[in-house]
Amino acid sequence: MNYTLHQLQIFLKIAELKSITKASEVLNLTQPAVSIQLKNFQDQFPIPLTEVVGRKLYITDFGEDIAKAAEQIINHVHAINYKTLSFQGQLSGRLKISSASTGKYVMPYFLSGFMKENPGVELNIDVTNKSRVIESLELNEVDFALVSVLPEKLNVNKVELMQNRLMLIGSTKLDLKKWRSKKQLFENYPLIYRETGSATRNAMEKFILKNNFSVHKKIELTSNEAVKQAVISDLGCSIMPLIGIKNELKNKDLQIIPVKGLPINTTWNLIWLKSKKLSPVAEAYLDFLDAQKDYIIKNEFSWIDF
């Protein structure tokens, strides 16, 4: 056996995602490079690690066992690296954060300075929808979660980061003069929704219900970026977080449609379980936020208050 740490990391990611294509994207490698490393790794075992049925990749039972062993090896390697840095007087360890999908426009700005100050810290961010974010927090898979709506059934601590403003957004190709009222616009022009489980969708549905709008033309997309591109192309309009459309507003690809009752204002909160024993890295990050949060908001997000 002569497999490398690099091959273990690649196989573990393939086993997690059940896809060579997705693994290559996450690892920032080309698909052929990942395929070659997988083949070189598999060739060292007398039993198959993967199998392809139809066009779908499956991990064999033996492959699952090897993936678990690979994860343990990689964790031990990380532990060695962290101990080395610790002896050198550097903060070291992992910081794991799960973020609601639109939080990707927020969270990096609150992490950049901390990561530059602490090069020994390894950052892991999972960007997904609200349901999965809460699940990862509940299962203790992450240190922190970024949400705009606090979970009702979990005991959590929180740090308020900044305001999240949701507005009705349309393409600049949309001629608002053709519509007699905003009610008519909501009820007759296509409305683009996020997928079920999205906090943005929940807020949008509550607003529509509160105003007794009857939506007849509905389109559902599974990411904020997909919704944004659909709105730009004039496929429909949508209620979206202002935070994610700065450049599109500046370039006049999108317009804010004034509607009574909007914007919907929520708050981005960084939350963690009250029962969780935070690592030194997580504690240090909270100290960083306490000292730098206001400065970051002022320098990076003052444009929101127009």
Side-chain angles (χ1 to χ4, degrees), residues 11-24:
F11 178 67
L12 180 58
K13 190 57 64 177
I14 292 171
E16 288 175 0
L17 300 175
K18 306 293 189 294
S19 167
I20 292 175
T21 301
K22 290 179 181 177
S24 66

Side-chain angles (χ1 to χ4, degrees), residues 140-162:
N140 198 32
E141 296 174 348
V142 296
D143 299 303
F144 302 108
L146 182 69
V147 296
S148 59
V149 179
L150 294 174
E152 296 177 358
K153 297 180 181 179
L154 291 182
N155 245 341
V156 298
N157 292 315
K158 68 172 183 175
V159 172
E160 292 186 359
L161 293 186
M162 57 177 289

